[in-house]
Amino acid sequence: MKTIRRILVANRGEIALRVMRTCKRLGIETVAVHSEADADARFVREADLAVCIGPAPSAESYLRIDAVLEAARRTGADAIHPGYGFLSENAAFARACAEAGVVFIGPTPEAIEAMGLKREAKLLAEKAGVPVVPGYDGADQSPEVIAAKVREIGFPVLLKASAGGGGKGMKLVTSEDGLLDAIASARREAEGAFGDGTLIVEKYVTSPRHVEIQIVGDAHGNVVHLNERECSIQRRHQKIIEEAPSPALDPELRAKMGEAAVKIGKAIGYRNAGTVEFILGPDRSFYFLEVNTRLQVEHPVTECITGLDLVELQIRIAEGHALPFSQADVRLDGAAIEVRIYAEDPAAGFLPQSGKLVDWHLPELEGVRVDGGVQSGDEVSIHYDPMLAKIIAHGGDRLEAVRRMRNALRRLSAQGIATNRDLLLEILDHEAFLAGRLDTHFIERELGTDLSRSPSAESVHLAAIAATLRASEERVAANTVVPRGVPKGFRNNPHSPAWCEYELGEDVVRVEYRFDPRTRRYDVAVGEARYEVELLSIQGHDVSFRAGGVRRTARVVASGEHHYVLVEGASLRLVERPRFPDRSVEVVAGGCLAPMPGKVVEVRVAEGETVAAGQVLAIMEAMKMEHRVTAKEAGVVKEVRVSAGQQVDADAVLFVVEPAE
Ligand code: ADP
Ligand code: ADP
Ligand code: MG
């Protein structure tokens, strides 16, 4: 037995804060390690001690084993919690911790090796008698052999990075066309993101559910499962909504899948919290996918329904204690759901977003837990995963949990960069979701491939009114020219109302208003609609007003010409138009712009080359993912303005293509 007194958390953001929260409750001191980009982040400020371990790119900071261990030595940390991602499934790191005399809060290096890699884990599951997805897990990794195996298995197939995670390094291949390209690209992503280019091939199962079992094992040979989580709502093979229990499982199937997971855990004497992932077919048959030998992003839903603190269990297990309960003691209380808030634009293929988070606000609500890592004013960096926070709702049953979540999301103000908030709300309100009819293709099938949505006319009107009221009050308060006693909205010419124009996407919203000093009300016209408006109060960002006989409170945050408004669950950004139109910005004709800031990995065309519409011109890497820059139309490449390895800003002109006649 070892008593842990000070834990270094080798991670950042939301998960670092989550681990530290349990440490504080247990009276354990905390050490944060961070990159230069995170020097002022919340998790750094909330730790007892913090050490900067290098520049922004993860490879030069969070992934540096030597720097993390040096920080542990310097701060006297006696244990390291790796969180998830980064070094959490790195056997060499677990080994280096042991050599440095620091407790690694996780499984043994041998277990990570046996299960942290998809290839080894599948072989092990098969041996334990657990069904696996048909595929190729061979040691021969030459592209030709892999291609031959793909043909043998039959399309469609998934290429996966054996060391992968987070839906990254995975490629769906539906036909011979582009097969070798896909293998090369999957390998490159695998090497770049996980430092290991080993690939496995799996038959692509159509329309499965993703159901996983949480297990915990101690150093005394006990392994129990803590029920399942359903994680079928995904984009890019990555979960965005998770829940426990799964609407698809009854006690019998739960027991069967639980037993399969425990069998795998016991086969290698698993010690730590871990997750055994399965895909579940409509016929209730299930296939092993992989084991995650660490805490999962979605662990909070399990904590809600079992009443356990998984981080506390991890710490106790690492100290050498036996599990304080047995399988029969594990509870399943109500239902819980988690959503992941990502800085990404669902309408643009879920393109990760970076920039300033102008406003981040969510009031405290009963039954709702927020595992967050950000606050208003934070810069969301291109260097890390774009997940901003998780919201978890717990209820007596699924409907209550979903309703609480919906309410929380409607009250979340996440402004400044695009997020998936509205998409999550649309899913939660969807009839098929409410009925529990889920599978991993839910989003494409139920919501379509075009995920751009326009706000309702009413929410646009209310938002424009709220923004205008706030701005007008501010102008009056700041205006020293207006003589005292002159009412707001005063104009020499009473027939010409005050006005303001906002851009909302492609549309222009014009607000005209006239203040009547006798009634203290505004007569407002937004487009064709008219409202009688009364401003009730402005407190901080909350603007309370009556419009059309209904009292409401909107949250309005202004930043330059941008007005971010949250009103009745709708989140909008109105861009105030200058009174005198700007010169239009010069755009290079046929220019191909960088979709986001990032690094150019490969340039595929040269000057003078003829290109077809949709042809890949370059490959960029940002947010740990590859993005293809393609030609919008056929033509001739007139200019190549970048080279491989170059770092570029969003909207930088990468190529100039002269369109073909
Ligand atoms: P990761 O390590 O990135 O989590 P997984 O192997 O767990 O990779 O797969 C992630 C997701 O991809 C699964 O939840 C599922 O939606 C999808 N997926 C994985 N393997 C298959 C498969 N063979 N057939 C269909 N979908 C799959
Ligand atoms: P469009 O360009 O399609 O007309 P918008 O002007 O609303 O649409 O948005 C342009 C881009 O600005 C979007 O693709 C998105 O990335 C970003 N964006 C949209 N709404 C917001 C918001 N509330 N906060 C920050 N960024 C936003
Ligand atoms: Mg997985």
Side-chain angles (χ1 to χ4, degrees):
M1 296 292 162
K2 155 120 191 147
T3 301
I4 293 173
R5 295 188 175 81
R6 182 175 284 179
I7 292 178
L8 180 150
V9 185
N11 218 297
R12 62 183 300 281
E14 170 270 321
I15 185 58
L17 283 162
R18 160 70 194 90
V19 172
M20 281 161 38
R21 184 172 352 120
T22 292
C23 291
K24 280 179 192 161
R25 188 170 61 74
L26 300 179
I28 296 172
E29 289 165 342
T30 55
V31 180
V33 288
H34 64 89
S35 70
E36 283 160 12
D38 283 336
D40 200 34
R42 213 178 110 199
F43 76 93
V44 174
R45 284 186 282 113
E46 290 192 12
D48 292 310
L49 301 169
V51 181
C52 181
I53 53 169
S58 324
E60 296 166 43
S61 48
Y62 296 103
L63 292 172
R64 276 190 52 197
I65 294 177
D66 58 337
V68 171
L69 286 174
E70 169 56 24
R73 196 195 55 77
R74 204 183 307 165
T75 55
D78 44 22
I80 294 183
H81 194 298
Y84 44 70
F86 292 136
L87 296 169
S88 61
E89 293 184 278
N90 185 317
F93 180 57
R95 221 166 251 131
C97 287
E99 278 158 19
V102 180
V103 175
F104 174 72
I105 303 176
T108 58
E110 293 75 28
I112 298 179
E113 267 154 10
M115 290 180 156
L117 297 173
K118 296 190 202 302
R119 193 175 95 84
E120 278 69 14
K122 277 185 85 175
L123 298 172
L124 192 132
E126 258 180 307
K127 232 195 297 168
V130 175
V132 301
V133 189
Y136 173 67
D137 316 304
D140 191 334
Q141 288 286 310
S142 70
E144 296 73 28
V145 168
I146 292 180
K149 290 292 173 187
V150 167
R151 291 177 199 116
E152 214 175 289
I153 296 160
F155 297 101
V157 298
L158 264 184
L159 300 174
K160 291 186 181 178
S162 178
K168 290 176 184 124
M170 202 173 326
K171 288 254 172 322
L172 174 63
V173 190
T174 50
S175 71
E176 184 67 39
D177 212 35
L179 172 59
L180 287 172
D181 222 22
I183 294 173
S185 160
R187 183 172 319 260
R188 205 166 37 222
E189 261 190 47
E191 263 158 13
F194 312 108
D196 176 351
T198 309
L199 299 180
I200 64 167
V201 184
E202 275 179 16
K203 178 85 193 158
Y204 186 66
V205 181
T206 40
S207 308
R209 284 175 181 255
H210 174 115
V211 176
E212 60 188 30
I213 306 283
Q214 175 73 55
I215 60 168
V216 276
D218 63 22
H220 309 275
N222 306 304
V223 181
V224 303
H225 75 83
L226 306 179
N227 303 311
E228 79 282 4
R229 292 184 287 259
E230 161 123 29
C231 315
S232 298
I233 304 293
Q234 305 184 344
R235 57 102 182 85
R236 274 199 194 128
H237 305 300
Q238 192 182 28
K239 307 153 186 169
I240 56 170
I241 301 184
E242 303 101 339
E243 57 181 300
S246 161
L249 264 57
D250 53 21
E252 190 197 341
L253 187 52
R254 177 170 302 123
K256 235 168 101 183
M257 293 182 74
E259 271 160 35
V262 168
K263 216 189 299 177
I264 292 175
K266 285 206 165 145
I268 54 148
Y270 190 70
R271 185 196 78 189
N272 185 36
T275 298
V276 184
E277 296 190 331
F278 297 95
I279 47 186
L280 175 67
D283 60 350
R284 293 163 63 92
S285 59
F286 58 90
Y287 303 95
F288 170 84
L289 270 187
E290 64 160 344
V291 180
N292 292 314
T293 57
R294 51 169 165 86
L295 199 65
Q296 299 262 127
V297 177
E298 59 273 24
H299 75 276
V301 292
T302 299
E303 297 187 323
C304 288
I305 61 158
T306 59
L308 297 166
D309 178 333
L310 288 181
V311 174
E312 177 180 358
L313 278 175
Q314 286 187 295
I315 295 171
R316 295 269 157 118
I317 291 166
E319 287 180 320
H321 298 284
L323 284 176
F325 53 82
S326 64
Q327 190 65 61
D329 304 322
V330 175
R331 284 169 28 205
L332 200 174
D333 167 22
I337 180 163
E338 172 183 283
V339 299
R340 304 186 188 190
I341 312 289
Y342 278 102
E344 66 184 18
D345 186 354
F350 298 100
L351 192 66
Q353 307 284 302
S354 58
K356 189 170 173 151
L357 186 62
V358 176
D359 190 42
W360 176 265
H361 179 78
L362 179 62
E364 266 186 41
L365 298 165
E366 189 178 340
V368 174
R369 157 178 165 184
V370 181
D371 281 18
V374 291
Q375 55 197 346
S376 301
D378 277 2
E379 279 297 326
V380 177
S381 152
I382 57 160
H383 294 287
Y384 313 114
D385 191 89
M387 190 173 82
L388 299 176
K390 307 179 303 202
I391 303 176
I392 304 101
H394 186 203
D397 59 14
R398 186 172 187 261
L399 179 61
E400 186 174 56
V402 171
R403 213 148 35 196
R404 283 180 162 165
M405 177 62 80
R406 179 179 183 277
N407 183 39
L409 276 173
R410 283 171 62 89
R411 287 162 197 272
L412 169 68
S413 175
Q415 301 272 31
I417 39 181
T419 73
N420 62 345
R421 189 197 88 113
D422 293 355
L423 173 72
L424 294 168
L425 270 170
E426 190 178 345
I427 297 169
L428 290 179
D429 276 334
H430 198 284
E431 189 199 336
F433 182 84
L434 291 170
R437 286 199 310 272
L438 315 176
D439 67 59
T440 57
H441 303 297
F442 183 94
I443 293 180
E444 309 93 276
R445 191 187 52 249
E446 303 292 346
L447 309 184
T449 43
D450 178 8
L451 294 175
S452 53
R453 300 286 186 268
S454 312
S456 73
E458 194 191 19
S459 53
V460 173
H461 294 174
L462 294 174
I465 290 170
T468 305
L469 286 173
R470 201 208 60 85
S472 141
E473 281 296 301
E474 194 180 76
R475 267 196 298 272
V476 168
N479 198 343
T480 50
V481 179
V482 176
R484 279 169 65 89
V486 174
K488 53 195 168 181
F490 173 82
R491 289 290 178 281
N492 285 332
N493 177 356
H495 298 294
S496 100
W499 61 273
C500 195
E501 278 180 352
Y502 302 97
E503 282 166 18
L504 178 72
E506 315 256 278
D507 300 331
V508 174
V509 183
R510 184 179 169 93
V511 181
E512 293 183 349
Y513 57 103
R514 208 182 260 117
F515 184 69
D516 182 340
R518 279 179 312 113
T519 58
R520 308 206 55 77
R521 290 188 182 159
Y522 292 84
D523 177 19
V524 181
V526 193
E528 306 283 281
R530 289 191 91 92
Y531 296 86
E532 188 186 51
V533 176
E534 190 179 352
L535 175 63
L536 300 168
S537 73
I538 298 185
Q539 272 166 358
H541 294 301
D542 290 341
V543 179
S544 296
F545 60 102
R546 208 185 320 265
V550 180
R551 182 195 168 120
R552 302 178 170 80
T553 299
R555 183 177 175 86
V556 184
V557 178
S559 167
E561 71 275 23
H562 292 165
H563 298 254
Y564 298 98
V565 186
L566 180 69
V567 61
E568 281 192 52
S571 170
L572 288 85
R573 181 188 58 180
L574 299 168
V575 184
E576 196 172 334
R577 288 188 127 192
R579 304 271 158 160
F580 308 102
D582 251 353
R583 291 245 158 142
S584 61
V585 186
E586 190 198 346
V587 177
V588 181
C592 295
L593 310 182
M596 60 192 309
K599 193 168 118 188
V600 177
V601 183
E602 197 188 325
V603 174
R604 292 231 174 142
V605 290
E607 278 175 19
E609 208 172 299
T610 305
V611 293
Q615 184 175 335
V616 178
L617 304 178
I619 297 195
M620 284 186 59
E621 189 194 85
M623 299 276 190
K624 296 197 274 175
M625 292 203 32
E626 285 197 355
H627 302 272
R628 284 144 187 265
V629 178
T630 53
K632 278 190 208 59
E633 47 194 338
V636 175
V637 180
K638 280 284 153 204
E639 283 180 53
V640 177
R641 297 199 183 171
V642 284
S643 50
Q646 196 173 323
Q647 202 76 35
V648 294
D649 290 331
D651 294 335
V653 177
L654 307 180
F655 301 94
V656 178
V657 178
E658 188 177 272
E661 280 87 75

